[in-house]
Amino acid sequence: DGKIMNLYNIKVMNKTFDKKHISLVLESPRGELEIVGDSLTVPEGDLAHTSFFIRLPKEEITQNKTEAKIKIFADDKLVDEIDTTFLGPVYRKK
């Protein structure tokens, strides 16, 4: 399908007294983020972990390491932003 994907792992700590539904949004670059399995819900005062894929179109990959920014939401409220690196082959236009 013309896309390259990387697998990531994430741990989320809920320090509140309420269960939180966590969602992840790929801010940049242009691509897709898909959580593996069910949605991520963290019980009150607990830790949860899951895996997710980032898929990027080949044309978005211009170097071996591409910076990616992910927004983390708890019950639709932005709680954090993380920076990570997407590793992939470089495709040069012919």
Side-chain angles (χ1 to χ4, degrees):
D1 69 350
K3 296 180 181 174
I4 306 296
M5 68 180 169
N6 280 193
L7 176 66
Y8 298 84
N9 297 306
I10 188 169
K11 292 181 183 178
V12 180
M13 180 68 183
N14 179 359
K15 296 181 180 181
T16 72
F17 296 106
D18 301 307
K19 174 176 66 171
K20 297 291 181 182
H21 173 72
I22 305 299
S23 57
L24 308 174
V25 175
L26 180 62
E27 179 73 11
S28 66
R30 182 178 60 90
E32 304 166 4
L33 187 149
E34 178 186 348
I35 293 179
V36 176
D38 295 331
S39 62
L40 180 58
T41 301
V42 186
E44 59 276 3
D46 205 355
L47 175 72
H49 61 279
T50 192
S51 299
F52 63 93
F53 288 104
I54 292 179
R55 289 186 186 87
L56 298 182
K58 289 181 182 179
E59 58 270 12
E60 288 290 324
I61 302 171
T62 59
Q63 48 192 333
N64 290 338
K65 295 180 180 180
T66 301
E67 297 300 315
K69 182 178 292 276
I70 299 167
K71 289 188 173 185
I72 302 173
F73 293 86
D75 296 330
D76 298 323
K77 179 182 176 188
L78 180 65
V79 293
D80 202 0
E81 293 183 15
I82 56 173
D83 295 315
T84 189
T85 302
F86 185 94
L87 302 176
V90 176
Y91 292 94
R92 296 189 186 348
K93 295 179 181 176
K94 296 178 182 179

Coordinates of all heavy atoms in Angstrom, one line a residue:
D1 N 0.8 -1.2 0.0 CA 0.0 0.0 0.0 C 0.9 1.3 0.0 O 0.3 2.3 0.2 CB -1.0 0.0 1.2 CG -0.3 0.1 2.6 OD1 0.9 0.0 2.7 OD2 -1.1 0.3 3.5
G2 N 2.2 1.1 -0.2 CA 3.0 2.3 -0.3 C 3.3 3.0 1.0 O 3.7 4.2 1.1
K3 N 3.1 2.3 2.2 CA 3.4 2.9 3.5 C 4.4 2.0 4.2 O 4.5 0.8 4.0 CB 2.1 3.0 4.3 CG 1.1 3.9 3.6 CD -0.2 4.0 4.4 CE -1.1 4.9 3.7 NZ -2.4 5.0 4.3
I4 N 5.1 2.7 5.1 CA 6.1 2.0 6.0 C 5.6 2.2 7.4 O 5.0 3.2 7.8 CB 7.5 2.7 5.9 CG1 8.0 2.7 4.5 CG2 8.5 2.0 6.8 CD1 8.2 1.4 3.8
M5 N 5.7 1.1 8.3 CA 5.2 1.3 9.6 C 6.2 0.9 10.6 O 7.1 0.1 10.4 CB 3.9 0.5 9.8 CG 4.0 -1.0 9.7 SD 2.4 -1.7 10.0 CE 2.7 -3.4 9.6
N6 N 6.1 1.5 11.8 CA 6.9 1.2 13.0 C 6.0 0.9 14.1 O 4.9 1.4 14.2 CB 7.7 2.5 13.4 CG 9.0 2.7 12.6 OD1 9.8 3.5 13.0 ND2 9.1 2.1 11.5
L7 N 6.4 0.0 15.0 CA 5.7 -0.4 16.2 C 6.2 0.3 17.4 O 7.5 0.3 17.6 CB 5.7 -1.9 16.4 CG 5.1 -2.5 17.6 CD1 3.6 -2.3 17.6 CD2 5.4 -4.0 17.7
Y8 N 5.4 0.8 18.3 CA 5.8 1.5 19.5 C 5.1 0.9 20.7 O 4.0 0.4 20.5 CB 5.5 3.0 19.4 CG 6.1 3.7 18.3 CD1 5.6 3.7 17.0 CD2 7.3 4.4 18.5 CE1 6.3 4.4 15.9 CE2 8.0 5.1 17.5 CZ 7.4 5.0 16.2 OH 8.1 5.7 15.2
N9 N 5.6 1.1 21.8 CA 5.0 0.7 23.1 C 4.8 1.9 24.0 O 5.7 2.8 23.9 CB 5.9 -0.3 23.8 CG 6.0 -1.6 23.1 OD1 5.0 -2.2 22.7 ND2 7.2 -2.0 22.8
I10 N 3.7 2.0 24.7 CA 3.5 3.1 25.6 C 2.9 2.6 26.9 O 2.2 1.6 27.0 CB 2.5 4.1 25.0 CG1 2.5 5.4 25.8 CG2 1.2 3.5 24.7 CD1 1.7 6.5 25.1
K11 N 3.4 3.3 28.0 CA 2.8 3.0 29.4 C 2.2 4.3 29.8 O 2.8 5.4 29.7 CB 3.9 2.6 30.3 CG 4.5 1.3 30.1 CD 5.6 1.0 31.1 CE 6.3 -0.4 30.8 NZ 7.4 -0.7 31.7
V12 N 1.0 4.2 30.4 CA 0.3 5.4 30.8 C -0.1 5.2 32.3 O -0.7 4.2 32.6 CB -1.0 5.6 30.0 CG1 -1.7 6.9 30.5 CG2 -0.6 5.8 28.5
M13 N 0.2 6.2 33.1 CA -0.1 6.1 34.5 C -1.3 7.1 34.8 O -1.2 8.2 34.4 CB 1.1 6.6 35.4 CG 0.9 6.6 36.9 SD 0.7 4.9 37.4 CE 0.3 5.2 39.1
N14 N -2.3 6.6 35.5 CA -3.5 7.4 35.8 C -3.4 7.7 37.3 O -3.6 6.9 38.2 CB -4.8 6.7 35.5 CG -6.0 7.4 35.9 OD1 -5.9 8.5 36.4 ND2 -7.1 6.8 35.6
K15 N -3.1 9.0 37.6 CA -2.9 9.4 39.0 C -4.2 10.0 39.6 O -4.1 10.7 40.6 CB -1.7 10.4 39.1 CG -0.4 9.8 38.8 CD 0.7 10.8 38.9 CE 2.0 10.2 38.5 NZ 3.1 11.1 38.7
T16 N -5.3 9.8 38.9 CA -6.6 10.4 39.4 C -7.4 9.3 40.1 O -7.0 8.2 40.1 CB -7.4 11.0 38.2 OG1 -7.9 9.9 37.4 CG2 -6.5 11.9 37.3
F17 N -8.6 9.8 40.5 CA -9.5 8.8 41.2 C -10.6 8.4 40.3 O -11.6 7.8 40.7 CB -10.1 9.5 42.4 CG -9.1 9.8 43.5 CD1 -8.7 11.1 43.7 CD2 -8.5 8.8 44.3 CE1 -7.7 11.4 44.7 CE2 -7.6 9.1 45.2 CZ -7.2 10.4 45.4
D18 N -10.4 8.6 38.9 CA -11.4 8.3 37.9 C -10.8 7.5 36.8 O -9.6 7.8 36.4 CB -12.1 9.5 37.3 CG -12.8 10.4 38.4 OD1 -13.6 9.8 39.1 OD2 -12.5 11.6 38.5
K19 N -11.5 6.5 36.3 CA -11.0 5.8 35.1 C -10.9 6.8 33.9 O -11.7 7.7 33.8 CB -12.1 4.7 34.7 CG -11.8 4.0 33.5 CD -12.8 2.9 33.3 CE -14.2 3.4 33.1 NZ -15.2 2.4 32.7
K20 N -9.8 6.6 33.1 CA -9.6 7.5 32.0 C -9.5 6.8 30.7 O -8.8 5.7 30.6 CB -8.3 8.3 32.2 CG -8.3 9.3 33.4 CD -9.2 10.4 33.2 CE -9.2 11.3 34.4 NZ -10.1 12.4 34.3
H21 N -10.1 7.3 29.7 CA -10.0 6.7 28.3 C -8.9 7.5 27.6 O -9.0 8.8 27.5 CB -11.3 6.8 27.5 CG -11.1 6.4 26.1 ND1 -10.9 5.1 25.7 CD2 -11.1 7.2 25.0 CE1 -10.8 5.1 24.4 NE2 -10.9 6.3 23.9
I22 N -7.9 6.9 27.2 CA -6.7 7.5 26.5 C -6.8 7.4 25.0 O -7.0 6.3 24.5 CB -5.4 6.9 27.1 CG1 -5.3 6.9 28.6 CG2 -4.2 7.6 26.4 CD1 -5.4 8.3 29.2
S23 N -6.5 8.4 24.3 CA -6.4 8.4 22.9 C -5.1 9.1 22.4 O -4.6 10.0 23.1 CB -7.6 9.0 22.2 OG -7.8 10.3 22.6
L24 N -4.6 8.6 21.3 CA -3.3 9.1 20.8 C -3.6 9.6 19.4 O -4.3 9.0 18.6 CB -2.3 8.0 20.7 CG -2.0 7.2 21.9 CD1 -1.1 6.0 21.6 CD2 -1.5 8.0 23.0
V25 N -3.0 10.8 19.1 CA -3.2 11.4 17.8 C -1.9 11.8 17.2 O -1.1 12.4 17.9 CB -4.1 12.7 17.9 CG1 -4.2 13.4 16.5 CG2 -5.5 12.3 18.4
L26 N -1.6 11.3 16.0 CA -0.3 11.7 15.3 C -0.5 13.1 14.8 O -1.3 13.4 13.9 CB -0.1 10.7 14.2 CG 1.2 10.9 13.4 CD1 2.4 10.8 14.3 CD2 1.3 10.0 12.2
E27 N 0.3 14.0 15.4 CA 0.3 15.4 15.0 C 1.1 15.6 13.7 O 0.7 16.4 12.8 CB 0.8 16.3 16.2 CG 0.8 17.7 15.9 CD -0.5 18.4 15.9 OE1 -1.5 17.8 16.3 OE2 -0.6 19.6 15.4
S28 N 2.3 15.1 13.7 CA 3.1 15.2 12.5 C 4.1 14.0 12.5 O 4.4 13.5 13.6 CB 3.9 16.5 12.5 OG 4.8 16.6 13.6
P29 N 4.6 13.6 11.4 CA 4.2 14.0 10.0 C 2.9 13.4 9.6 O 2.2 12.8 10.4 CB 5.4 13.4 9.2 CG 5.8 12.2 9.9 CD 5.6 12.5 11.4
R30 N 2.5 13.7 8.3 CA 1.3 13.2 7.8 C 1.3 11.6 7.8 O 2.3 11.1 7.3 CB 1.1 13.7 6.4 CG -0.2 13.3 5.7 CD -0.4 13.9 4.3 NE 0.7 13.5 3.5 CZ 0.7 12.5 2.6 NH1 -0.3 11.6 2.6 NH2 1.8 12.2 1.9
G31 N 0.4 11.0 8.4 CA 0.4 9.5 8.5 C -0.8 9.0 9.3 O -1.8 9.8 9.5
E32 N -0.7 7.8 9.8 CA -1.8 7.2 10.5 C -1.2 6.6 11.8 O -0.1 6.1 11.9 CB -2.4 6.0 9.8 CG -2.9 6.4 8.4 CD -3.2 5.2 7.5 OE1 -3.0 4.0 8.0 OE2 -3.5 5.4 6.3
L33 N -2.0 6.6 12.9 CA -1.7 6.0 14.2 C -2.8 5.0 14.5 O -3.9 5.4 14.5 CB -1.5 7.1 15.3 CG -1.0 6.6 16.6 CD1 -0.2 7.7 17.3 CD2 -2.0 6.1 17.5
E34 N -2.4 3.8 14.8 CA -3.4 2.8 15.2 C -3.0 2.0 16.4 O -1.9 1.4 16.5 CB -3.6 1.8 14.0 CG -4.5 0.7 14.3 CD -4.5 -0.4 13.2 OE1 -4.0 -0.1 12.1 OE2 -5.1 -1.4 13.4
I35 N -3.9 2.1 17.4 CA -3.6 1.3 18.7 C -3.9 -0.1 18.4 O -4.9 -0.5 17.8 CB -4.5 1.9 19.8 CG1 -4.0 3.3 20.2 CG2 -4.4 1.0 21.0 CD1 -4.8 3.9 21.3
V36 N -3.0 -1.0 18.9 CA -3.2 -2.5 18.8 C -4.2 -2.9 19.8 O -4.1 -2.6 21.0 CB -1.8 -3.2 19.0 CG1 -2.0 -4.7 18.9 CG2 -0.8 -2.7 17.9
G37 N -5.2 -3.7 19.3 CA -6.2 -4.2 20.3 C -7.2 -3.2 20.6 O -7.5 -2.3 19.8
D38 N -7.8 -3.4 21.8 CA -8.9 -2.6 22.2 C -8.4 -1.2 22.5 O -7.2 -0.9 22.6 CB -9.6 -3.2 23.5 CG -10.2 -4.5 23.2 OD1 -10.7 -4.7 22.1 OD2 -10.3 -5.3 24.1
S39 N -9.4 -0.3 22.7 CA -9.0 1.1 23.1 C -8.3 1.1 24.5 O -8.4 0.1 25.2 CB -10.3 2.0 23.2 OG -11.1 1.5 24.2
L40 N -7.6 2.1 24.7 CA -6.7 2.2 25.9 C -7.5 2.9 27.1 O -7.8 4.1 27.0 CB -5.4 2.9 25.6 CG -4.4 3.1 26.8 CD1 -4.0 1.7 27.4 CD2 -3.2 3.8 26.3
T41 N -7.9 2.1 28.1 CA -8.6 2.7 29.2 C -7.7 2.4 30.5 O -7.3 1.2 30.6 CB -10.0 2.1 29.4 OG1 -10.7 2.4 28.2 CG2 -10.7 2.7 30.6
V42 N -7.5 3.4 31.3 CA -6.6 3.2 32.5 C -7.5 3.4 33.7 O -8.1 4.4 33.9 CB -5.5 4.2 32.5 CG1 -4.5 3.9 33.6 CG2 -4.7 4.3 31.2
P43 N -7.6 2.3 34.5 CA -8.3 2.4 35.8 C -7.7 3.5 36.7 O -6.5 3.8 36.6 CB -8.2 1.0 36.4 CG -7.8 0.1 35.3 CD -7.0 1.0 34.3
E44 N -8.5 4.0 37.6 CA -8.1 5.0 38.6 C -6.9 4.5 39.4 O -6.8 3.3 39.8 CB -9.2 5.4 39.5 CG -9.8 4.3 40.4 CD -10.9 3.5 39.7 OE1 -11.2 3.7 38.5 OE2 -11.4 2.6 40.3
G45 N -5.8 5.3 39.5 CA -4.6 5.0 40.3 C -3.8 3.8 39.8 O -3.2 3.1 40.5
D46 N -3.9 3.5 38.5 CA -3.3 2.3 37.9 C -2.4 2.7 36.7 O -2.4 3.8 36.2 CB -4.4 1.3 37.5 CG -3.8 -0.1 37.6 OD1 -2.6 -0.3 37.7 OD2 -4.7 -1.0 37.4
L47 N -1.7 1.7 36.2 CA -0.8 1.8 35.1 C -1.4 0.9 34.0 O -1.8 -0.3 34.3 CB 0.6 1.3 35.5 CG 1.6 1.3 34.4 CD1 2.0 2.7 33.9 CD2 2.9 0.6 34.9
A48 N -1.4 1.3 32.7 CA -1.7 0.5 31.6 C -0.7 0.6 30.5 O 0.0 1.7 30.4 CB -3.1 0.9 31.1
H49 N -0.6 -0.4 29.7 CA 0.4 -0.3 28.6 C -0.2 -1.0 27.4 O -1.1 -1.8 27.5 CB 1.7 -0.9 29.0 CG 1.7 -2.4 29.3 ND1 1.3 -2.8 30.5 CD2 1.9 -3.5 28.6 CE1 1.3 -4.2 30.5 NE2 1.6 -4.6 29.4
T50 N 0.2 -0.5 26.2 CA -0.3 -1.0 25.0 C 0.8 -0.7 23.9 O 1.8 -0.1 24.2 CB -1.7 -0.4 24.6 OG1 -2.2 -1.2 23.5 CG2 -1.5 1.1 24.2
S51 N 0.5 -1.2 22.7 CA 1.3 -1.0 21.6 C 0.5 -0.2 20.5 O -0.7 -0.3 20.5 CB 1.8 -2.3 21.0 OG 2.6 -3.0 21.9
F52 N 1.2 0.5 19.6 CA 0.5 1.1 18.5 C 1.5 1.2 17.3 O 2.7 1.1 17.5 CB 0.0 2.5 18.9 CG 1.1 3.5 19.3 CD1 1.7 4.4 18.4 CD2 1.6 3.6 20.6 CE1 2.6 5.3 18.7 CE2 2.5 4.5 21.0 CZ 3.1 5.4 20.0
F53 N 0.9 1.3 16.2 CA 1.6 1.5 14.9 C 1.5 2.9 14.4 O 0.5 3.5 14.6 CB 1.0 0.6 13.8 CG 1.3 -0.9 14.0 CD1 0.3 -1.7 14.4 CD2 2.6 -1.4 13.7 CE1 0.6 -3.1 14.6 CE2 2.8 -2.7 13.9 CZ 1.8 -3.6 14.3
I54 N 2.6 3.4 13.9 CA 2.6 4.6 13.0 C 2.9 4.2 11.6 O 3.9 3.5 11.4 CB 3.6 5.7 13.5 CG1 3.2 6.2 14.9 CG2 3.7 6.8 12.5 CD1 4.1 7.3 15.5
R55 N 2.0 4.6 10.7 CA 2.2 4.3 9.3 C 2.4 5.6 8.5 O 1.6 6.5 8.7 CB 1.0 3.6 8.7 CG 0.8 2.2 9.1 CD -0.3 1.5 8.4 NE -0.6 0.2 8.9 CZ -1.4 -0.1 9.9 NH1 -2.0 0.9 10.5 NH2 -1.6 -1.3 10.4
L56 N 3.5 5.7 7.8 CA 3.8 6.9 7.0 C 3.9 6.5 5.5 O 4.4 5.5 5.2 CB 5.1 7.5 7.4 CG 5.3 8.0 8.8 CD1 6.6 8.6 9.1 CD2 4.2 9.0 9.2
P57 N 3.4 7.4 4.6 CA 3.6 7.2 3.2 C 5.0 7.3 2.9 O 5.8 8.0 3.5 CB 2.8 8.3 2.6 CG 1.9 8.9 3.6 CD 2.5 8.5 4.9
K58 N 5.5 6.5 1.9 CA 6.9 6.5 1.6 C 7.4 7.9 1.3 O 8.6 8.3 1.6 CB 7.2 5.6 0.3 CG 7.1 4.2 0.6 CD 7.3 3.3 -0.6 CE 7.2 1.9 -0.3 NZ 7.4 1.1 -1.5
E59 N 6.6 8.8 0.7 CA 7.0 10.1 0.3 C 7.3 11.0 1.5 O 7.9 12.1 1.4 CB 6.1 10.8 -0.7 CG 4.7 10.9 -0.2 CD 3.8 9.7 -0.6 OE1 4.3 8.7 -1.0 OE2 2.6 9.8 -0.4
E60 N 6.7 10.6 2.7 CA 7.0 11.4 3.9 C 8.3 11.1 4.5 O 8.8 11.8 5.4 CB 5.9 11.1 5.0 CG 4.5 11.7 4.6 CD 4.5 13.2 4.7 OE1 5.2 13.8 5.6 OE2 3.8 13.8 3.9
I61 N 9.0 10.0 4.1 CA 10.2 9.6 4.7 C 11.4 10.1 3.8 O 11.6 9.5 2.7 CB 10.3 8.0 4.8 CG1 9.1 7.6 5.6 CG2 11.6 7.6 5.4 CD1 8.9 6.1 5.7
T62 N 12.1 11.1 4.2 CA 13.1 11.7 3.5 C 14.5 11.5 4.1 O 15.5 11.9 3.5 CB 12.9 13.2 3.3 OG1 12.8 13.8 4.6 CG2 11.6 13.5 2.5
Q63 N 14.5 10.9 5.3 CA 15.8 10.6 5.9 C 15.6 9.3 6.8 O 14.4 8.9 7.0 CB 16.3 11.7 6.8 CG 15.2 12.3 7.7 CD 15.6 13.7 8.3 OE1 16.8 13.9 8.4 NE2 14.7 14.5 8.6
N64 N 16.6 8.7 7.3 CA 16.5 7.5 8.0 C 15.7 7.7 9.3 O 15.1 6.7 9.7 CB 17.9 6.9 8.4 CG 18.6 6.4 7.2 OD1 18.0 6.1 6.2 ND2 20.0 6.3 7.2
K65 N 15.8 8.8 9.9 CA 15.1 9.1 11.2 C 14.2 10.3 10.9 O 14.7 11.4 10.6 CB 16.1 9.4 12.3 CG 16.9 8.3 12.7 CD 17.9 8.7 13.9 CE 18.7 7.5 14.3 NZ 19.6 7.9 15.4
T66 N 12.9 10.1 11.1 CA 11.9 11.1 10.9 C 11.3 11.5 12.2 O 10.8 10.6 12.9 CB 10.8 10.7 9.9 OG1 11.4 10.3 8.6 CG2 9.8 11.7 9.7
E67 N 11.3 12.7 12.6 CA 10.7 13.1 13.9 C 9.2 13.0 13.8 O 8.6 13.4 12.8 CB 11.1 14.6 14.2 CG 12.6 14.8 14.4 CD 13.2 13.9 15.5 OE1 12.5 13.8 16.6 OE2 14.2 13.3 15.3
A68 N 8.6 12.5 14.8 CA 7.1 12.4 14.9 C 6.7 13.0 16.2 O 7.3 12.9 17.3 CB 6.7 10.9 14.8
K69 N 5.5 13.7 16.2 CA 4.9 14.2 17.4 C 3.5 13.6 17.6 O 2.7 13.5 16.7 CB 4.8 15.8 17.2 CG 4.2 16.4 18.5 CD 4.1 17.9 18.4 CE 5.4 18.6 18.3 NZ 6.1 18.8 19.6
I70 N 3.3 13.1 18.8 CA 2.0 12.5 19.2 C 1.4 13.2 20.3 O 2.0 13.6 21.3 CB 2.3 11.0 19.6 CG1 3.0 10.3 18.5 CG2 1.0 10.4 20.1 CD1 3.5 8.9 18.9
K71 N 0.1 13.5 20.2 CA -0.7 14.2 21.3 C -1.4 13.1 22.0 O -2.0 12.1 21.4 CB -1.7 15.2 20.7 CG -1.0 16.4 20.1 CD -2.0 17.5 19.8 CE -1.3 18.7 19.4 NZ -2.2 19.9 19.1
I72 N -1.4 13.2 23.4 CA -2.1 12.2 24.2 C -3.3 12.9 24.9 O -3.1 14.0 25.5 CB -1.1 11.7 25.3 CG1 0.1 11.0 24.6 CG2 -1.8 10.7 26.2 CD1 1.2 10.6 25.6
F73 N -4.4 12.3 24.7 CA -5.7 12.9 25.3 C -6.2 11.9 26.4 O -6.2 10.7 26.2 CB -6.7 13.0 24.2 CG -6.4 14.1 23.2 CD1 -5.6 13.8 22.1 CD2 -6.8 15.4 23.4 CE1 -5.3 14.8 21.2 CE2 -6.5 16.4 22.5 CZ -5.7 16.1 21.4
A74 N -6.7 12.4 27.5 CA -7.4 11.6 28.5 C -8.9 12.2 28.5 O -9.1 13.4 28.8 CB -6.8 11.8 29.8
D75 N -9.8 11.3 28.1 CA -11.2 11.8 28.0 C -11.3 13.0 27.2 O -12.0 14.0 27.6 CB -11.8 11.9 29.4 CG -11.9 10.6 30.2 OD1 -12.0 9.6 29.6 OD2 -11.8 10.7 31.4
D76 N -10.7 13.1 26.0 CA -10.8 14.2 25.1 C -10.1 15.5 25.5 O -10.3 16.5 24.9 CB -12.2 14.5 24.7 CG -12.9 13.3 24.0 OD1 -12.2 12.6 23.2 OD2 -14.1 13.0 24.2
K77 N -9.3 15.4 26.6 CA -8.6 16.6 27.1 C -7.1 16.3 26.8 O -6.6 15.3 27.3 CB -8.8 16.8 28.6 CG -8.1 18.0 29.1 CD -8.3 18.2 30.6 CE -7.4 19.3 31.1 NZ -7.5 19.4 32.6
L78 N -6.4 17.3 26.2 CA -5.0 17.1 25.9 C -4.2 17.1 27.2 O -4.4 18.1 28.0 CB -4.5 18.3 25.0 CG -3.0 18.3 24.7 CD1 -2.7 17.1 23.8 CD2 -2.7 19.6 23.9
V79 N -3.5 16.0 27.5 CA -2.7 16.0 28.7 C -1.2 15.9 28.5 O -0.4 16.2 29.4 CB -3.1 14.7 29.6 CG1 -4.5 14.9 30.1 CG2 -3.0 13.4 28.8
D80 N -0.8 15.6 27.3 CA 0.7 15.6 27.0 C 1.0 15.5 25.5 O 0.1 15.1 24.7 CB 1.3 14.3 27.7 CG 2.8 14.4 28.0 OD1 3.4 15.5 27.6 OD2 3.4 13.5 28.5
E81 N 2.2 15.8 25.2 CA 2.7 15.7 23.8 C 4.0 15.0 23.9 O 4.8 15.3 24.8 CB 2.8 17.0 23.1 CG 1.5 17.7 22.8 CD 1.7 19.0 22.0 OE1 2.8 19.2 21.4 OE2 0.7 19.8 22.0
I82 N 4.2 14.0 23.1 CA 5.5 13.3 23.1 C 6.2 13.4 21.7 O 5.5 13.4 20.7 CB 5.4 11.9 23.6 CG1 4.4 11.1 22.8 CG2 5.1 11.8 25.0 CD1 4.4 9.6 23.1
D83 N 7.5 13.5 21.7 CA 8.2 13.4 20.4 C 8.9 12.0 20.4 O 9.4 11.5 21.4 CB 9.3 14.5 20.4 CG 8.7 15.9 20.4 OD1 7.7 16.1 19.6 OD2 9.1 16.8 21.1
T84 N 8.9 11.5 19.2 CA 9.6 10.2 19.0 C 10.2 10.2 17.6 O 10.1 11.2 16.9 CB 8.6 9.0 19.2 OG1 9.3 7.8 19.2 CG2 7.6 9.0 18.1
T85 N 10.9 9.1 17.3 CA 11.6 9.0 16.0 C 11.0 7.8 15.2 O 10.8 6.7 15.8 CB 13.1 8.8 16.2 OG1 13.6 9.9 17.0 CG2 13.8 8.8 14.9
F86 N 10.7 8.1 14.0 CA 10.2 7.0 13.1 C 11.4 6.6 12.2 O 12.0 7.4 11.6 CB 9.1 7.6 12.2 CG 8.5 6.5 11.3 CD1 7.3 5.9 11.7 CD2 9.0 6.2 10.0 CE1 6.7 4.9 10.9 CE2 8.5 5.3 9.2 CZ 7.3 4.6 9.6
L87 N 11.8 5.3 12.3 CA 12.9 4.8 11.5 C 12.4 4.2 10.3 O 11.5 3.4 10.3 CB 13.7 3.8 12.4 CG 14.2 4.3 13.7 CD1 14.9 3.1 14.4 CD2 15.2 5.4 13.5
G88 N 13.1 4.5 9.1 CA 12.6 3.9 7.9 C 13.6 4.2 6.8 O 14.5 5.0 6.9
P89 N 13.5 3.4 5.7 CA 14.4 3.5 4.6 C 14.1 4.8 3.9 O 13.0 5.3 3.9 CB 14.1 2.3 3.7 CG 12.6 2.0 4.0 CD 12.5 2.4 5.5
V90 N 15.1 5.4 3.2 CA 14.9 6.6 2.5 C 14.7 6.2 1.0 O 15.4 5.5 0.4 CB 16.2 7.5 2.5 CG1 16.1 8.7 1.7 CG2 16.5 7.9 4.0
Y91 N 13.6 6.8 0.5 CA 13.3 6.5 -0.9 C 13.5 7.8 -1.7 O 13.0 8.9 -1.4 CB 11.8 6.1 -1.1 CG 11.5 4.8 -0.5 CD1 11.1 4.7 0.8 CD2 11.7 3.6 -1.2 CE1 10.8 3.4 1.4 CE2 11.5 2.4 -0.7 CZ 11.0 2.3 0.6 OH 10.8 1.1 1.2
R92 N 14.4 7.7 -2.7 CA 14.8 8.9 -3.5 C 13.9 8.8 -4.8 O 13.7 7.8 -5.4 CB 16.2 8.9 -3.8 CG 17.1 9.0 -2.6 CD 18.5 9.2 -3.0 NE 19.6 9.3 -2.0 CZ 19.6 9.4 -0.7 NH1 18.4 9.4 -0.1 NH2 20.6 9.4 0.0
K93 N 13.5 10.0 -5.2 CA 12.7 10.1 -6.4 C 13.6 9.8 -7.6 O 14.7 10.3 -7.6 CB 12.0 11.4 -6.6 CG 11.0 11.7 -5.5 CD 10.4 13.0 -5.7 CE 9.4 13.2 -4.6 NZ 8.8 14.6 -4.6
K94 N 13.1 9.0 -8.6 CA 14.0 8.7 -9.7 C 13.7 9.6 -10.9 O 12.7 10.2 -11.0 CB 13.7 7.2 -10.1 CG 14.1 6.3 -9.1 CD 13.8 4.8 -9.5 CE 14.2 3.9 -8.4 NZ 13.9 2.5 -8.7

